[in-house]
PDB file of all heavy atoms in Angstrom:
ATOM      1  N   VAL T  67      -2.623 -19.784  18.278  1.00  0.00           N
ATOM      2  CA  VAL T  67      -3.881 -20.503  18.421  1.00  0.00           C
ATOM      3  C   VAL T  67      -4.375 -20.998  17.061  1.00  0.00           C
ATOM      4  O   VAL T  67      -4.766 -22.142  16.895  1.00  0.00           O
ATOM      5  CB  VAL T  67      -4.944 -19.594  19.082  1.00  0.00           C
ATOM      6  CG1 VAL T  67      -6.347 -20.154  18.871  1.00  0.00           C
ATOM      7  CG2 VAL T  67      -4.645 -19.445  20.560  1.00  0.00           C
ATOM      8  N   LEU T  68      -4.298 -20.114  16.085  1.00  0.00           N
ATOM      9  CA  LEU T  68      -4.792 -20.447  14.759  1.00  0.00           C
ATOM     10  C   LEU T  68      -4.017 -21.617  14.155  1.00  0.00           C
ATOM     11  O   LEU T  68      -4.601 -22.570  13.632  1.00  0.00           O
ATOM     12  CB  LEU T  68      -4.652 -19.202  13.877  1.00  0.00           C
ATOM     13  CG  LEU T  68      -5.630 -18.985  12.754  1.00  0.00           C
ATOM     14  CD1 LEU T  68      -7.057 -19.067  13.248  1.00  0.00           C
ATOM     15  CD2 LEU T  68      -5.377 -17.613  12.140  1.00  0.00           C
ATOM     16  N   THR T  69      -2.707 -21.547  14.232  1.00  0.00           N
ATOM     17  CA  THR T  69      -1.899 -22.612  13.635  1.00  0.00           C
ATOM     18  C   THR T  69      -2.040 -23.913  14.427  1.00  0.00           C
ATOM     19  O   THR T  69      -2.136 -24.989  13.837  1.00  0.00           O
ATOM     20  CB  THR T  69      -0.414 -22.205  13.568  1.00  0.00           C
ATOM     21  OG1 THR T  69      -0.023 -21.682  14.832  1.00  0.00           O
ATOM     22  CG2 THR T  69      -0.194 -21.159  12.520  1.00  0.00           C
ATOM     23  N   THR T  70      -2.100 -23.787  15.750  1.00  0.00           N
ATOM     24  CA  THR T  70      -2.258 -24.999  16.551  1.00  0.00           C
ATOM     25  C   THR T  70      -3.597 -25.656  16.256  1.00  0.00           C
ATOM     26  O   THR T  70      -3.705 -26.872  16.159  1.00  0.00           O
ATOM     27  CB  THR T  70      -2.163 -24.677  18.053  1.00  0.00           C
ATOM     28  OG1 THR T  70      -1.002 -23.889  18.296  1.00  0.00           O
ATOM     29  CG2 THR T  70      -2.081 -25.951  18.877  1.00  0.00           C
ATOM     30  N   ARG T  71      -4.609 -24.841  16.099  1.00  0.00           N
ATOM     31  CA  ARG T  71      -5.936 -25.384  15.804  1.00  0.00           C
ATOM     32  C   ARG T  71      -5.930 -26.178  14.500  1.00  0.00           C
ATOM     33  O   ARG T  71      -6.486 -27.274  14.415  1.00  0.00           O
ATOM     34  CB  ARG T  71      -6.956 -24.247  15.725  1.00  0.00           C
ATOM     35  CG  ARG T  71      -8.390 -24.727  15.560  1.00  0.00           C
ATOM     36  CD  ARG T  71      -9.345 -23.555  15.454  1.00  0.00           C
ATOM     37  NE  ARG T  71     -10.659 -24.002  15.034  1.00  0.00           N
ATOM     38  CZ  ARG T  71     -11.658 -24.278  15.874  1.00  0.00           C
ATOM     39  NH1 ARG T  71     -11.490 -24.126  17.164  1.00  0.00           N
ATOM     40  NH2 ARG T  71     -12.814 -24.687  15.404  1.00  0.00           N
ATOM     41  N   LEU T  72      -5.273 -25.622  13.515  1.00  0.00           N
ATOM     42  CA  LEU T  72      -5.186 -26.306  12.223  1.00  0.00           C
ATOM     43  C   LEU T  72      -4.453 -27.642  12.389  1.00  0.00           C
ATOM     44  O   LEU T  72      -4.925 -28.693  11.929  1.00  0.00           O
ATOM     45  CB  LEU T  72      -4.471 -25.389  11.220  1.00  0.00           C
ATOM     46  CG  LEU T  72      -4.253 -25.847   9.794  1.00  0.00           C
ATOM     47  CD1 LEU T  72      -5.496 -26.512   9.238  1.00  0.00           C
ATOM     48  CD2 LEU T  72      -3.872 -24.672   8.923  1.00  0.00           C
ATOM     49  N   ALA T  73      -3.341 -27.594  13.085  1.00  0.00           N
ATOM     50  CA  ALA T  73      -2.564 -28.821  13.292  1.00  0.00           C
ATOM     51  C   ALA T  73      -3.369 -29.816  14.122  1.00  0.00           C
ATOM     52  O   ALA T  73      -3.347 -31.022  13.869  1.00  0.00           O
ATOM     53  CB  ALA T  73      -1.249 -28.487  13.997  1.00  0.00           C
ATOM     54  N   TYR T  74      -4.107 -29.314  15.085  1.00  0.00           N
ATOM     55  CA  TYR T  74      -4.897 -30.157  15.981  1.00  0.00           C
ATOM     56  C   TYR T  74      -5.981 -30.901  15.198  1.00  0.00           C
ATOM     57  O   TYR T  74      -6.176 -32.104  15.366  1.00  0.00           O
ATOM     58  CB  TYR T  74      -5.530 -29.273  17.060  1.00  0.00           C
ATOM     59  CG  TYR T  74      -6.410 -30.015  18.040  1.00  0.00           C
ATOM     60  CD1 TYR T  74      -5.868 -30.603  19.182  1.00  0.00           C
ATOM     61  CD2 TYR T  74      -7.790 -30.099  17.830  1.00  0.00           C
ATOM     62  CE1 TYR T  74      -6.680 -31.277  20.083  1.00  0.00           C
ATOM     63  CE2 TYR T  74      -8.612 -30.768  18.722  1.00  0.00           C
ATOM     64  CZ  TYR T  74      -8.052 -31.354  19.857  1.00  0.00           C
ATOM     65  OH  TYR T  74      -8.853 -32.012  20.741  1.00  0.00           O
ATOM     66  N   ILE T  75      -6.671 -30.188  14.336  1.00  0.00           N
ATOM     67  CA  ILE T  75      -7.729 -30.808  13.535  1.00  0.00           C
ATOM     68  C   ILE T  75      -7.159 -31.945  12.687  1.00  0.00           C
ATOM     69  O   ILE T  75      -7.732 -33.024  12.586  1.00  0.00           O
ATOM     70  CB  ILE T  75      -8.419 -29.747  12.639  1.00  0.00           C
ATOM     71  CG1 ILE T  75      -9.232 -28.793  13.506  1.00  0.00           C
ATOM     72  CG2 ILE T  75      -9.312 -30.409  11.602  1.00  0.00           C
ATOM     73  CD1 ILE T  75      -9.726 -27.554  12.785  1.00  0.00           C
ATOM     74  N   LEU T  76      -5.970 -31.677  12.124  1.00  0.00           N
ATOM     75  CA  LEU T  76      -5.317 -32.713  11.311  1.00  0.00           C
ATOM     76  C   LEU T  76      -4.914 -33.891  12.171  1.00  0.00           C
ATOM     77  O   LEU T  76      -5.211 -35.043  11.869  1.00  0.00           O
ATOM     78  CB  LEU T  76      -4.074 -32.133  10.625  1.00  0.00           C
ATOM     79  CG  LEU T  76      -4.327 -31.169   9.482  1.00  0.00           C
ATOM     80  CD1 LEU T  76      -3.016 -30.524   9.049  1.00  0.00           C
ATOM     81  CD2 LEU T  76      -4.973 -31.901   8.308  1.00  0.00           C
ATOM     82  N   ARG T  77      -4.245 -33.601  13.267  1.00  0.00           N
ATOM     83  CA  ARG T  77      -3.687 -34.682  14.065  1.00  0.00           C
ATOM     84  C   ARG T  77      -4.771 -35.488  14.774  1.00  0.00           C
ATOM     85  O   ARG T  77      -4.628 -36.678  14.978  1.00  0.00           O
ATOM     86  CB  ARG T  77      -2.680 -34.136  15.073  1.00  0.00           C
ATOM     87  CG  ARG T  77      -1.895 -35.289  15.591  1.00  0.00           C
ATOM     88  CD  ARG T  77      -0.403 -35.215  15.751  1.00  0.00           C
ATOM     89  NE  ARG T  77       0.361 -34.058  15.485  1.00  0.00           N
ATOM     90  CZ  ARG T  77       1.422 -33.765  16.257  1.00  0.00           C
ATOM     91  NH1 ARG T  77       1.700 -34.479  17.321  1.00  0.00           N
ATOM     92  NH2 ARG T  77       2.170 -32.751  15.951  1.00  0.00           N
ATOM     93  N   ALA T  78      -5.869 -34.835  15.102  1.00  0.00           N
ATOM     94  CA  ALA T  78      -6.964 -35.558  15.743  1.00  0.00           C
ATOM     95  C   ALA T  78      -7.784 -36.325  14.714  1.00  0.00           C
ATOM     96  O   ALA T  78      -8.756 -36.990  15.058  1.00  0.00           O
ATOM     97  CB  ALA T  78      -7.848 -34.593  16.508  1.00  0.00           C
ATOM     98  N   GLY T  79      -7.386 -36.200  13.453  1.00  0.00           N
ATOM     99  CA  GLY T  79      -8.063 -36.957  12.415  1.00  0.00           C
ATOM    100  C   GLY T  79      -9.469 -36.461  12.108  1.00  0.00           C
ATOM    101  O   GLY T  79     -10.299 -37.177  11.566  1.00  0.00           O
ATOM    102  N   LEU T  80      -9.738 -35.216  12.451  1.00  0.00           N
ATOM    103  CA  LEU T  80     -11.075 -34.671  12.206  1.00  0.00           C
ATOM    104  C   LEU T  80     -11.278 -34.339  10.732  1.00  0.00           C
ATOM    105  O   LEU T  80     -12.401 -34.310  10.238  1.00  0.00           O
ATOM    106  CB  LEU T  80     -11.287 -33.415  13.056  1.00  0.00           C
ATOM    107  CG  LEU T  80     -11.247 -33.662  14.565  1.00  0.00           C
ATOM    108  CD1 LEU T  80     -11.164 -32.355  15.333  1.00  0.00           C
ATOM    109  CD2 LEU T  80     -12.468 -34.456  15.004  1.00  0.00           C
ATOM    110  N   ALA T  81     -10.173 -34.051  10.046  1.00  0.00           N
ATOM    111  CA  ALA T  81     -10.265 -33.738   8.626  1.00  0.00           C
ATOM    112  C   ALA T  81      -8.903 -33.905   7.975  1.00  0.00           C
ATOM    113  O   ALA T  81      -7.874 -33.897   8.655  1.00  0.00           O
ATOM    114  CB  ALA T  81     -10.750 -32.303   8.431  1.00  0.00           C
ATOM    115  N   MET T  82      -8.932 -34.074   6.652  1.00  0.00           N
ATOM    116  CA  MET T  82      -7.674 -34.090   5.918  1.00  0.00           C
ATOM    117  C   MET T  82      -7.386 -32.665   5.442  1.00  0.00           C
ATOM    118  O   MET T  82      -8.274 -31.823   5.445  1.00  0.00           O
ATOM    119  CB  MET T  82      -7.795 -35.035   4.729  1.00  0.00           C
ATOM    120  CG  MET T  82      -8.023 -36.476   5.155  1.00  0.00           C
ATOM    121  SD  MET T  82      -7.907 -37.610   3.778  1.00  0.00           S
ATOM    122  CE  MET T  82      -9.361 -37.201   2.859  1.00  0.00           C
ATOM    123  N   HIS T  83      -6.146 -32.449   5.029  1.00  0.00           N
ATOM    124  CA  HIS T  83      -5.806 -31.053   4.720  1.00  0.00           C
ATOM    125  C   HIS T  83      -6.665 -30.445   3.625  1.00  0.00           C
ATOM    126  O   HIS T  83      -6.966 -29.267   3.649  1.00  0.00           O
ATOM    127  CB  HIS T  83      -4.315 -30.908   4.422  1.00  0.00           C
ATOM    128  CG  HIS T  83      -3.877 -31.538   3.138  1.00  0.00           C
ATOM    129  ND1 HIS T  83      -4.177 -30.993   1.925  1.00  0.00           N
ATOM    130  CD2 HIS T  83      -3.162 -32.654   2.894  1.00  0.00           C
ATOM    131  CE1 HIS T  83      -3.663 -31.746   0.978  1.00  0.00           C
ATOM    132  NE2 HIS T  83      -3.048 -32.775   1.545  1.00  0.00           N
ATOM    133  N   GLY T  84      -7.092 -31.289   2.680  1.00  0.00           N
ATOM    134  CA  GLY T  84      -7.919 -30.769   1.594  1.00  0.00           C
ATOM    135  C   GLY T  84      -9.315 -30.376   2.059  1.00  0.00           C
ATOM    136  O   GLY T  84     -10.082 -29.777   1.317  1.00  0.00           O
ATOM    137  N   GLN T  85      -9.637 -30.698   3.307  1.00  0.00           N
ATOM    138  CA  GLN T  85     -10.978 -30.402   3.817  1.00  0.00           C
ATOM    139  C   GLN T  85     -10.984 -29.213   4.765  1.00  0.00           C
ATOM    140  O   GLN T  85     -11.969 -28.951   5.441  1.00  0.00           O
ATOM    141  CB  GLN T  85     -11.528 -31.647   4.532  1.00  0.00           C
ATOM    142  CG  GLN T  85     -11.635 -32.841   3.617  1.00  0.00           C
ATOM    143  CD  GLN T  85     -12.015 -34.094   4.378  1.00  0.00           C
ATOM    144  OE1 GLN T  85     -11.455 -34.406   5.420  1.00  0.00           O
ATOM    145  NE2 GLN T  85     -12.987 -34.808   3.854  1.00  0.00           N
ATOM    146  N   ILE T  86      -9.853 -28.545   4.834  1.00  0.00           N
ATOM    147  CA  ILE T  86      -9.772 -27.373   5.716  1.00  0.00           C
ATOM    148  C   ILE T  86      -9.513 -26.135   4.877  1.00  0.00           C
ATOM    149  O   ILE T  86      -8.612 -26.118   4.040  1.00  0.00           O
ATOM    150  CB  ILE T  86      -8.642 -27.532   6.744  1.00  0.00           C
ATOM    151  CG1 ILE T  86      -8.842 -28.821   7.539  1.00  0.00           C
ATOM    152  CG2 ILE T  86      -8.589 -26.325   7.681  1.00  0.00           C
ATOM    153  CD1 ILE T  86      -7.712 -29.136   8.479  1.00  0.00           C
ATOM    154  N   LEU T  87     -10.312 -25.117   5.106  1.00  0.00           N
ATOM    155  CA  LEU T  87     -10.126 -23.849   4.406  1.00  0.00           C
ATOM    156  C   LEU T  87      -9.569 -22.859   5.431  1.00  0.00           C
ATOM    157  O   LEU T  87     -10.227 -22.563   6.424  1.00  0.00           O
ATOM    158  CB  LEU T  87     -11.472 -23.350   3.870  1.00  0.00           C
ATOM    159  CG  LEU T  87     -11.472 -22.091   3.015  1.00  0.00           C
ATOM    160  CD1 LEU T  87     -10.887 -22.367   1.641  1.00  0.00           C
ATOM    161  CD2 LEU T  87     -12.887 -21.552   2.864  1.00  0.00           C
ATOM    162  N   ALA T  88      -8.356 -22.388   5.202  1.00  0.00           N
ATOM    163  CA  ALA T  88      -7.737 -21.445   6.148  1.00  0.00           C
ATOM    164  C   ALA T  88      -7.458 -20.136   5.421  1.00  0.00           C
ATOM    165  O   ALA T  88      -6.713 -20.115   4.447  1.00  0.00           O
ATOM    166  CB  ALA T  88      -6.454 -22.025   6.725  1.00  0.00           C
ATOM    167  N   VAL T  89      -8.076 -19.070   5.898  1.00  0.00           N
ATOM    168  CA  VAL T  89      -8.047 -17.809   5.164  1.00  0.00           C
ATOM    169  C   VAL T  89      -7.345 -16.693   5.932  1.00  0.00           C
ATOM    170  O   VAL T  89      -7.622 -16.476   7.110  1.00  0.00           O
ATOM    171  CB  VAL T  89      -9.482 -17.327   4.868  1.00  0.00           C
ATOM    172  CG1 VAL T  89      -9.476 -16.334   3.725  1.00  0.00           C
ATOM    173  CG2 VAL T  89     -10.390 -18.488   4.539  1.00  0.00           C
ATOM    174  N   THR T  90      -6.493 -15.977   5.244  1.00  0.00           N
ATOM    175  CA  THR T  90      -5.845 -14.801   5.834  1.00  0.00           C
ATOM    176  C   THR T  90      -6.073 -13.602   4.915  1.00  0.00           C
ATOM    177  O   THR T  90      -6.633 -13.743   3.838  1.00  0.00           O
ATOM    178  CB  THR T  90      -4.324 -15.005   5.954  1.00  0.00           C
ATOM    179  OG1 THR T  90      -3.789 -15.107   4.626  1.00  0.00           O
ATOM    180  CG2 THR T  90      -3.981 -16.253   6.738  1.00  0.00           C
ATOM    181  N   PHE T  91      -5.602 -12.447   5.353  1.00  0.00           N
ATOM    182  CA  PHE T  91      -5.731 -11.249   4.519  1.00  0.00           C
ATOM    183  C   PHE T  91      -4.509 -11.011   3.665  1.00  0.00           C
ATOM    184  O   PHE T  91      -4.604 -10.634   2.518  1.00  0.00           O
ATOM    185  CB  PHE T  91      -5.977 -10.019   5.382  1.00  0.00           C
ATOM    186  CG  PHE T  91      -7.416  -9.737   5.509  1.00  0.00           C
ATOM    187  CD1 PHE T  91      -8.148 -10.353   6.490  1.00  0.00           C
ATOM    188  CD2 PHE T  91      -8.043  -8.919   4.609  1.00  0.00           C
ATOM    189  CE1 PHE T  91      -9.495 -10.139   6.590  1.00  0.00           C
ATOM    190  CE2 PHE T  91      -9.393  -8.701   4.694  1.00  0.00           C
ATOM    191  CZ  PHE T  91     -10.128  -9.316   5.689  1.00  0.00           C
ATOM    192  N   THR T  92      -3.350 -11.198   4.267  1.00  0.00           N
ATOM    193  CA  THR T  92      -2.125 -10.871   3.555  1.00  0.00           C
ATOM    194  C   THR T  92      -1.345 -12.127   3.222  1.00  0.00           C
ATOM    195  O   THR T  92      -1.485 -13.161   3.868  1.00  0.00           O
ATOM    196  CB  THR T  92      -1.219  -9.962   4.404  1.00  0.00           C
ATOM    197  OG1 THR T  92      -0.808 -10.699   5.564  1.00  0.00           O
ATOM    198  CG2 THR T  92      -1.929  -8.699   4.813  1.00  0.00           C
ATOM    199  N   ASN T  93      -0.535 -11.993   2.198  1.00  0.00           N
ATOM    200  CA  ASN T  93       0.339 -13.096   1.819  1.00  0.00           C
ATOM    201  C   ASN T  93       1.306 -13.417   2.937  1.00  0.00           C
ATOM    202  O   ASN T  93       1.659 -14.559   3.150  1.00  0.00           O
ATOM    203  CB  ASN T  93       1.111 -12.716   0.570  1.00  0.00           C
ATOM    204  CG  ASN T  93       0.205 -12.651  -0.636  1.00  0.00           C
ATOM    205  OD1 ASN T  93      -0.372 -13.644  -1.020  1.00  0.00           O
ATOM    206  ND2 ASN T  93       0.045 -11.469  -1.199  1.00  0.00           N
TER     207      ASN T  93
END
Side-chain angles (χ1 to χ4, degrees):
Chain T
V67 163
L68 210 53
T69 48
T70 310
R71 186 181 169 95
L72 180 43
Y74 178 87
I75 290 168
L76 288 171
R77 195 136 3 143
L80 297 168
M82 296 189 290
H83 69 73
Q85 300 173 313
I86 304 174
L87 185 73
V89 200
T90 65
F91 266 86
T92 64
N93 290 297

